[in-house]
Every structure is written in C-alpha cells, then in structure tokens.
Amino acid sequence: MHFTSEQHLDDGVLEREFTLGEIPGILWTPGSASASAPAPLILLSPPPLGLRKVYPRLAARALHSAAHGYAAATIELPGSGDRPRWPAAEQAVADLRRAMGAGEPVGDEIIDALILPLVERAVPEWQAALDALLSLPEIGGPVGYSGGVISIGTRLAVVEPRISAAVLFAGSFIPRAMFEEARRVTIPLHVLLQWDDEGNDRQAALDLFDAFGSKEKTLNANMGGHTGVPQFAGDAAGQFFNRHLR
Amino acid sequence: MHFTSEQHLDDGVLEREFTLGEIPGILWTPGSASASAPAPLILLSPPPLGLRKVYPRLAARALHSAAHGYAAATIELPGSGDRPRWPAAEQAVADLRRAMGAGEPVGDEIIDALILPLVERAVPEWQAALDALLSLPEIGGPVGYSGGVISIGTRLAVVEPRISAAVLFAGSFIPRAMFEEARRVTIPLHVLLQWDDEGNDRQAALDLFDAFGSKEKTLNANMGGHTGVPQFAGDAAGQFFNRHLR
C-alpha cells in the first residue's frame, strides 16, 4: 500500500489517496486517529461507476463517519474508473443496456454475467485492502462495511470474519445464487432500499432481505430515487454503526 | 373530559387517568409542560386488547416521549377493556380465530367485518379526544399519531388535519378499501414492520406502504416477532417525531 497524495479536509480529516498494487483507493482518517487511539474502520464500497465520479458522495459519507470517530476507506472496483478495461464486464453491461432499452426482462444470464465475476474479483481485493488498512497503526477494529453492489457486500459478510456489521444498499441486480449465500450471513445488517428506484428490482431486494440469516437485520426503505437517500436515513445507518462498532 | 386519578411517575411525568364520556383514557405530561410552555402531543393508539393489558408497553412509550418533551395520550378502543361489549366485533374476532385455527385463508369478509366497523367507531372518538386534549393549557400542537391498528391510523391521517406525522405499526389485518384510502394520505409516515411476525400479512403491509401517497414515508422493518420491536427501532420512531413535531 503506497500513499500517493494527501490533503487535510474540514474538521482535521486527513484524506490520502493510495495504490494497493494496481488498485487505486482513498483513505480518510479523523483528526483523533493515532497509533495510541486507533480508529474503527468503515469500508465504503462504491458503485461500479469510477471513484472520480462518485467521489462527492463517498467523501460526504467519509466526513460524516469521521465526525463520529471512524476511519473510512474505499478502493476502485475492477473494470471501473482508471483501472484496466474489462471486456467481459463491458459486454455484460452492454447486454444489460440493450435488454433494458428494448424493454425486455433482464434475464438471469445477463445478471449472472454482470455481477458474479465482479463479486469473484472484487471480494479478494477488499480483503487485501483490509489487510493493508488494519496494518496501519492509526486504524484498529472493529470494521464495518457500507456499500455499493449488494452482492459484493453479501459475499464479504459471509467470507470475511473481520467485518462486524454491514450497511447494504439494495439497488443493484442480484444473481439467484446470492439468495442462497445470503442465508449464511449472520452479522447485523442495515439494508437501505430506495422504494421508488425505477432501476431497482424491489421484489428482489425484499427477497434478499428476507433471505439474510442475520438475527439482527433492519430494512430501511425510503422515497427519493436511486441516489436520493434522505439525510435522516444516512443518520440512521450511522447510528447502526455506532451500535455495532463501539 | 374528567380526570379520575393522577400519579407522578419517574422524571416528573404526570400520569392522569380520565374519562371522555364513557371512554377511559390516560394522559401523560412531561414535568416541563405548563400553560406557558405547552407540550406537543403524541396520540398513542393501542391495539384492541384493553388498556390494562397493554399499559406497560404504552407507559414505556409515553415515558420515552415525555423524556423528549412530548405529552402522550391514549383512549380505550370501542369494545375493548372495560368498555361495553360489542357483540358484532366479538363475532368478527371469533370468525377470524375459527378461520385461522382451521388453517383457512382469512377472507375479505372477515377482515372487513373485523376492521371497518372499528375504524368507523374509533376515528371520531380519537378526534373528540383530540378536541379535549388540545383544550388543556399544558398541551399545544403539533400532534403526532402512533399506533396500533394501522387502518385507524390511515383513516385518521386522511380525515384529521391536526395530525402532522404518524408512526404506524404494520401488524393488523387490512381491508381492501384501506389501500385506496392510503393514497390520500400526505403527511410524513414512519411505518414499523416486524418482518417475521407470524400473525401478520407481510405482503399486505408492503402493499399498504406502497399505496401511501406521502412524499416522505419510511418503512422500518425489523426482526423480533409481533411485540419485539427493538429498542433502536423505537428510537428511530422517536427521531421521526423529533423531525416533524418541533
């Protein structure tokens, strides 16, 4: 992990860009974080749109997290942003757009081709990022996950015991295989669903919520479109982390 | 409205039993409430089980509300507790129990007979209670509603302009006619759903949430069974009132 730039944001938050091998990422640490007072960490998993594009939203969430004493970190998803192009993934996106543009139902093959390889590639990268981040003296446990592509969060919740609690966004296509995987999730979950998100399959989101094996799981559904999560819902997600990461 | 008893609870909260005509009720006012600083009011609508039986749950919610500066009040539903027996309602409950006991689907006729007359009778009583409560110098506006039988809350939200925001519990049978009525609700709503409540028709609750016409509506679904609303979900409902009743 190599830091490539740093700047101080409001409230003493230190923002550092880094690379982890070929993968670019960003780490935000609160002014209070130090080797003697390591901060708990929230992994901010982005949508697959490129970190530059979603930077404003991620930075706002990181600042909000830092105000409550958390470090936050993100890495670029495979095939997104400045990372090498991934022709198979681009083909899957093209197939999806074609089907949606033609008003056709989005078949399982398209969803599987779009999501499953992304999960397979991204999850080990997030685990490698977690190794690197937790080796920094200013970062301690516990670790929360907040993101992005819900299947990545689901898989991580199953395979990565260092993640104690997760906020998941129910706004992306879900392969059928993930419903079975969801039953093996046991950590506390807080699932955000934008109820009137036209690009989202609401029933699939409800089915996935139902499938999660966690004893503590909350579905928090709100109005406002795909990116219109209300401030109070963001606050509720923050309170969820406060309950589980302290 | 006649007060029949009073006692001081923790934190200076005054609990007064009253009768409104034949209807028994309870009013809780925070120690801070006075004619010069009237408290906003939360109507705590009970389930139709009798106030004595649900007193512990209601009193806990009233104390929680009072800690945030709210007065809280409840009245007995028609046919419940010490109120005169209501043979038609008892027949509807008996029909429901027979159908459920026999493992039969609960038909629309049973649900309509169970809920619609209750709504017709209860809503004007809650409006009369509101008249009486708002005439007390220690109580001011705005008014929130929190309850109970979701169809009563839905009807009240449509017909009673003095109610500014409502927390609804998705845990009772819903007549088909209420889905149409729900579209006319415009006040902010916070709907609590106990996801694994076996006595509850989850799909009907989701459909009703979808039908509400409110621009701000939140569905907060949690685990824990019918009466097992987690503390943090109660806190979130309290924060909803803090956003809308201040």
Side-chain angles (χ1 to χ4, degrees):
Chain A
M1 183 178 212
H2 295 284
F3 290 107
T4 55
S5 75
E6 69 171 58
Q7 63 170 325
H8 284 275
L9 307 180
D10 289 348
D11 303 323
V13 175
L14 178 63
E15 176 183 280
R16 284 175 283 181
E17 298 190 47
F18 63 83
T19 55
L20 184 74
E22 303 289 317
I23 308 168
I26 311 173
L27 170 63
W28 295 269
T29 41
S32 59
S34 68
S36 61
L41 174 66
I42 296 175
L43 301 174
L44 296 181
S45 184
L49 302 170
L51 286 187
R52 271 184 229 282
K53 186 159 179 181
V54 297
Y55 172 83
R57 275 195 273 156
L58 289 177
R61 282 161 60 201
L63 285 173
H64 193 269
S65 299
H68 291 84
Y70 301 106
T74 189
I75 55 172
E76 188 73 87
L77 289 176
S80 288
D82 296 333
R83 294 191 61 181
R85 293 182 59 181
W86 184 4
E90 289 175 14
Q91 183 60 49
V93 171
D95 290 345
L96 173 72
R97 291 204 175 127
R98 192 198 50 71
M100 291 181 80
E104 295 169 11
V106 179
D108 285 343
E109 328 77 57
I110 293 179
I111 295 174
D112 286 357
L114 186 74
I115 301 292
L116 292 179
L118 183 64
V119 171
E120 290 294 332
R121 279 212 196 179
V123 165
E125 293 180 353
W126 281 91
Q127 293 184 290
L130 197 47
D131 293 342
L133 290 161
L134 289 176
S135 73
L136 298 173
E138 66 269 35
I139 295 181
V143 178
Y145 173 91
S146 174
V149 176
I150 198 164
S151 297
I152 295 176
T154 302
R155 171 72 58 82
L156 266 169
V158 171
V159 301
E160 180 45 71
R162 291 173 293 182
I163 295 177
S164 301
V167 172
L168 302 177
F169 291 85
S172 42
F173 292 96
I174 306 164
R176 279 184 196 273
M178 296 313 296
F179 293 93
E180 202 47 53
E181 210 153 324
R183 293 181 208 289
R184 287 154 49 203
V185 175
T186 58
I187 59 169
L189 297 179
H190 185 93
V191 180
L192 288 165
L193 169 63
Q194 289 299 95
W195 190 259
D196 58 352
D197 179 356
E198 289 183 10
N200 184 18
D201 182 343
R202 186 198 296 160
Q203 191 57 53
L206 295 170
D207 291 345
L208 188 68
F209 177 75
D210 191 45
F212 285 121
S214 305
K215 260 192 236 165
E216 183 187 328
K217 55 181 180 182
T218 295
L219 178 71
N220 194 296
N222 292 284
M223 309 303 287
H226 187 73
T227 58
V229 176
Q231 176 64 43
F232 60 81
D235 292 347
Q239 290 162 2
F240 166 81
F241 279 134
N242 289 343
R243 290 202 308 277
H244 293 290
L245 301 185
R246 288 199 171 158
Chain B
M1 184 180 212
H2 296 283
F3 291 108
T4 55
S5 73
E6 68 171 60
Q7 63 171 325
H8 285 275
L9 306 181
D10 288 349
D11 303 322
V13 176
L14 179 62
E15 175 183 279
R16 285 176 282 180
E17 298 190 46
F18 64 83
T19 55
L20 183 74
E22 303 290 317
I23 308 168
I26 312 173
L27 170 63
W28 295 269
T29 41
S32 58
S34 68
S36 61
L41 174 66
I42 296 175
L43 300 174
L44 295 181
S45 185
L49 302 171
L51 285 187
R52 270 184 230 281
K53 185 159 180 181
V54 297
Y55 172 83
R57 276 195 273 158
L58 289 177
R61 284 162 59 201
L63 286 173
H64 193 268
S65 300
H68 290 84
Y70 302 107
T74 189
I75 56 173
E76 188 74 86
L77 289 176
S80 288
D82 296 334
R83 294 189 63 180
R85 294 183 56 180
W86 185 2
E90 290 175 12
Q91 184 60 51
V93 171
D95 290 345
L96 173 73
R97 291 204 174 126
R98 191 199 50 72
M100 292 182 79
E104 296 169 11
V106 179
D108 286 342
E109 331 75 58
I110 293 178
I111 294 174
D112 286 357
L114 186 75
I115 301 292
L116 291 179
L118 183 63
V119 171
E120 290 293 332
R121 277 209 197 180
V123 166
E125 294 179 354
W126 280 92
Q127 293 184 289
L130 198 46
D131 293 341
L133 291 160
L134 289 177
S135 73
L136 298 172
E138 65 270 33
I139 296 180
V143 178
Y145 173 91
S146 175
V149 176
I150 199 165
S151 297
I152 295 176
T154 301
R155 170 72 57 83
L156 266 170
V158 172
V159 302
E160 181 45 71
R162 291 174 293 182
I163 295 177
S164 301
V167 172
L168 302 178
F169 291 84
S172 42
F173 292 97
I174 305 166
R176 281 185 194 271
M178 296 312 297
F179 292 93
E180 202 46 54
E181 210 154 322
R183 295 183 204 289
R184 289 156 47 204
V185 175
T186 58
I187 60 170
L189 297 179
H190 185 93
V191 180
L192 289 165
L193 169 63
Q194 289 300 94
W195 190 258
D196 58 353
D197 178 356
E198 289 184 10
N200 185 17
D201 182 343
R202 185 198 297 162
Q203 191 58 51
L206 294 171
D207 290 345
L208 188 68
F209 177 75
D210 191 45
F212 285 122
S214 306
K215 260 190 239 166
E216 183 187 327
K217 56 181 179 181
T218 295
L219 177 71
N220 194 297
N222 292 283
M223 309 303 287
H226 187 74
T227 59
V229 176
Q231 176 65 45
F232 61 81
D235 292 346
Q239 289 161 1
F240 167 82
F241 280 135
N242 289 344
R243 289 203 308 277
H244 293 290
L245 301 185
R246 285 196 173 161

